Amino acid sequence: MRYMLRVAYDGTEYCGWQVQPGQRTVEGTLKSALDKLMGKDVPMIGASRTDAGVHAEGNVAVFDCDTTIPADKIKYALNNMLPEDVVVVESKQVDDNFHPRHCDCRKTYQYRILNTQMPDPNRRRNTYFYRWKLDMEAMRAAADCIVGTHDFACFMAAGSQVTDTVRTVYSLELAKIDDVITMTIQGNGFLYNMVRIIAGTLIQVGRGQLEPGQIADIIKKGERKNAGPTAPAKGLTLKVIDYE
Amino acid sequence: MRYMLRVAYDGTEYCGWQVQPGQRTVEGTLKSALDKLMGKDVPMIGASRTDAGVHAEGNVAVFDCDTTIPADKIKYALNNMLPEDVVVVESKQVDDNFHPRHCDCRKTYQYRILNTQMPDPNRRRNTYFYRWKLDMEAMRAAADCIVGTHDFACFMAAGSQVTDTVRTVYSLELAKIDDVITMTIQGNGFLYNMVRIIAGTLIQVGRGQLEPGQIADIIKKGERKNAGPTAPAKGLTLKVIDYE
């Protein structure tokens, strides 16, 4: 039987999702608990290989196993063995053909900017503190140019091996609630560091260092150097992955 | 000259505010930075001795020193030397007679309850995760009985040396925003663990384990054993101290 887990985590203390020898990773931590629960090695496939320091409310992992534990109880059994910064929020049985990376899906990420005069120690782990005033209207105009199906090579970190750089961004919304600016982006997939580079680029627009009108040209030229810097990992959260 | 600091901190990694030999405390951390900045031992007086694990947005500390650093720049100099979980959010000169504990003031604390089905690793440090449904109306009715000037001995942790247990609670408000219930309490001072015991008592009311109508009687009898349990420290934040 194939099972799916929805996993939330505070990525602060992890070297990202993916298992790496000698490193503390979310996948490694989760797999240790799963292997212990099932009493054997259980191969697991993750949906999104989030970077070091990136958080999640709903990353997805899948595994095959025969167990008498009811599907919706697996989450409680795993949470008993997991550290408190990783929580399985849902466990259920899925179709045997379901593959978290090969199925069509919509991923939603949120980037959070704490836009205050002074940093806030109680929000330092999951916001990016940015002191200077940001022009929300300019940022929204720039965001509108990113929505759609484009070749997003300009927003991909240098060194990525990916060759097909066309992706669809379904929506990119900016909101300000009290002193936190949130950038919520939904797409069918994202290139390496794409969301953080978009955040860094929109911050430059908000500061007036880039004009909203330049964004279409930056995308068209397809060169990483024209876009803004990669915003820090701690502002980023993988909110949800919806499978169609 | 006398200076006042407003201090925000994530109390998770600290054994509370007050200096204790061999322990990591907020006061100790702040004083180390201050001594280093001023190049000598600078006695410091704190306003509220928050417990281990309790957070602050605006605790207050005062010190006397002669320095050429402009008062409002002291915060930046200190923040350069402080770990990221302690931030001086304001520094200013105050009257030489100002004493943070002997002046009339209003303290505002907030207790935050994450009222969801599953815990949230990204909010685990500054909310108390409480799974069961809470009756907000019952909690509000109970809260109304706490507002006013009363002998609050029933809400004081056993073992406290304080003998005058009369305090004034100016307001006690409950709100629910999304899945977080906040209890915001303002008073002229609080007994040891008083806010956390009030939170624990209101949670019992919300669960139906205590009736709102019992609160007045619990206060009148003045015995700790009649009130609810002490809610966990991590849900509590000292928001602000207003001096009159």
Side-chain angles (χ1 to χ4, degrees):
Chain A
M1 287 187 291
R2 180 159 285 193
Y3 295 97
M4 176 176 126
L5 306 174
R6 265 203 315 130
V7 191
Y9 46 88
D10 172 353
T12 310
E13 316 293 344
Y14 292 90
C15 297
W17 171 269
Q18 199 176 0
V19 167
Q20 295 174 65
Q23 302 282 11
R24 188 170 184 252
T25 67
V26 180
E27 185 184 23
T29 301
L30 190 61
K31 187 170 160 22
S32 291
L34 185 62
D35 288 354
K36 205 167 146 191
L37 178 66
M38 300 305 179
K40 61 178 174 183
D41 177 63
V42 184
M44 199 171 71
I45 311 164
S48 275
R49 294 168 181 162
T50 52
D51 285 351
V54 173
H55 317 292
E57 292 181 13
N59 204 344
V60 163
V62 156
F63 63 93
D64 296 317
C65 198
D66 291 318
T67 175
T68 55
I69 307 172
D72 67 326
K73 302 298 183 206
I74 292 173
K75 62 178 183 287
Y76 299 112
L78 288 173
N79 288 338
N80 276 334
M81 294 186 289
L82 286 167
E84 63 176 6
D85 53 4
V86 177
V87 173
V88 178
V89 292
E90 187 186 0
S91 53
K92 65 176 181 183
Q93 205 188 326
V94 289
D95 191 275
D96 284 350
N97 300 317
F98 177 79
H99 188 292
R101 283 205 297 275
H102 300 159
C103 291
D104 283 344
C105 72
R106 291 183 177 222
K107 293 183 182 177
T108 306
Y109 279 90
Q110 192 171 73
Y111 198 88
R112 286 161 35 97
I113 302 162
L114 180 67
N115 199 18
T116 49
Q117 283 294 307
M118 298 299 290
D120 181 345
N122 287 300
R123 292 188 281 183
R124 76 192 186 285
R125 293 166 75 100
N126 50 12
T127 58
Y128 168 36
F129 167 62
Y130 191 82
R131 187 187 310 269
W132 295 276
K133 193 171 159 35
L134 293 168
D135 179 339
M136 293 290 290
E137 286 318 303
M139 290 168 81
R140 285 199 180 99
D144 288 347
C145 303
I146 294 169
V147 175
T149 302
H150 303 287
D151 183 330
F152 284 114
C154 68
F155 294 139
M156 183 172 72
S160 172
Q161 303 301 312
V162 171
T163 51
D164 176 13
T165 50
V166 174
R167 297 289 183 278
T168 299
V169 171
Y170 299 113
S171 63
L172 175 48
E173 279 161 20
L174 287 149
K176 186 165 186 176
I177 299 169
D178 297 328
D179 44 18
V180 175
I181 294 171
T182 59
M183 176 192 103
T184 308
I185 187 165
Q186 193 185 69
N188 65 349
F190 295 96
L191 304 168
Y192 186 46
N193 277 356
M194 178 170 160
V195 181
R196 289 166 57 192
I197 299 170
I198 289 175
T201 304
L202 292 185
I203 288 168
Q204 284 205 332
V205 171
R207 275 278 280 169
Q209 294 159 336
L210 274 177
E211 294 294 318
Q214 291 177 263
I215 299 298
D217 196 48
I218 290 170
I219 294 173
K220 199 172 156 192
K221 286 194 176 141
E223 290 183 47
R224 170 68 189 92
K225 68 177 166 57
N226 297 324
T230 307
K234 65 182 186 170
L236 186 60
T237 300
L238 171 55
K239 299 286 278 187
V240 64
I241 306 177
D242 295 308
Y243 291 94
E244 282 153 18
Chain B
M1 287 188 290
R2 181 158 285 193
Y3 296 96
M4 177 177 126
L5 306 175
R6 266 203 314 130
V7 191
Y9 46 88
D10 172 353
T12 310
E13 315 293 345
Y14 292 89
C15 297
W17 171 269
Q18 199 176 0
V19 167
Q20 295 174 65
Q23 303 281 11
R24 188 170 184 252
T25 67
V26 180
E27 185 184 23
T29 301
L30 190 60
K31 188 170 160 21
S32 290
L34 186 61
D35 288 354
K36 205 167 146 192
L37 178 66
M38 301 306 180
K40 60 178 174 183
D41 177 62
V42 184
M44 198 172 71
I45 312 164
S48 275
R49 294 169 182 161
T50 52
D51 284 352
V54 173
H55 317 292
E57 291 181 13
N59 205 344
V60 164
V62 155
F63 64 93
D64 295 317
C65 198
D66 291 318
T67 174
T68 55
I69 307 172
D72 68 325
K73 302 299 183 206
I74 293 173
K75 63 178 183 287
Y76 299 112
L78 288 173
N79 289 338
N80 275 335
M81 294 185 289
L82 286 167
E84 63 175 7
D85 54 3
V86 177
V87 174
V88 178
V89 292
E90 187 185 359
S91 53
K92 65 176 182 183
Q93 206 189 325
V94 289
D95 191 275
D96 284 352
N97 300 316
F98 177 80
H99 187 292
R101 284 205 296 275
H102 300 158
C103 291
D104 283 344
C105 73
R106 291 182 176 224
K107 292 183 183 178
T108 306
Y109 279 90
Q110 191 171 74
Y111 198 88
R112 286 161 37 96
I113 301 162
L114 180 66
N115 199 18
T116 49
Q117 282 295 308
M118 297 300 290
D120 181 345
N122 288 299
R123 292 188 281 183
R124 76 192 186 285
R125 293 166 75 99
N126 50 12
T127 58
Y128 168 37
F129 167 62
Y130 191 82
R131 187 187 310 268
W132 295 276
K133 193 170 159 35
L134 294 168
D135 179 340
M136 293 291 290
E137 285 318 303
M139 290 169 81
R140 285 200 180 98
D144 288 345
C145 304
I146 294 170
V147 175
T149 302
H150 303 287
D151 183 331
F152 283 113
C154 68
F155 294 138
M156 183 170 72
S160 172
Q161 303 301 311
V162 171
T163 50
D164 176 13
T165 49
V166 175
R167 296 288 183 279
T168 299
V169 171
Y170 300 112
S171 62
L172 175 49
E173 279 160 20
L174 288 149
K176 186 165 187 176
I177 299 169
D178 296 328
D179 44 18
V180 176
I181 294 171
T182 58
M183 176 192 104
T184 309
I185 187 165
Q186 192 185 68
N188 66 349
F190 295 97
L191 303 168
Y192 186 45
N193 277 356
M194 177 170 162
V195 181
R196 289 166 56 191
I197 298 170
I198 289 176
T201 304
L202 292 184
I203 288 168
Q204 283 206 332
V205 171
R207 276 279 281 170
Q209 294 159 337
L210 274 177
E211 293 296 317
Q214 292 177 262
I215 299 298
D217 197 49
I218 290 170
I219 294 173
K220 199 172 156 192
K221 286 194 176 140
E223 291 183 48
R224 171 69 188 90
K225 67 177 166 56
N226 296 325
T230 307
K234 66 182 185 170
L236 186 60
T237 300
L238 170 55
K239 298 286 277 186
V240 64
I241 307 177
D242 295 307
Y243 291 94
E244 283 154 17

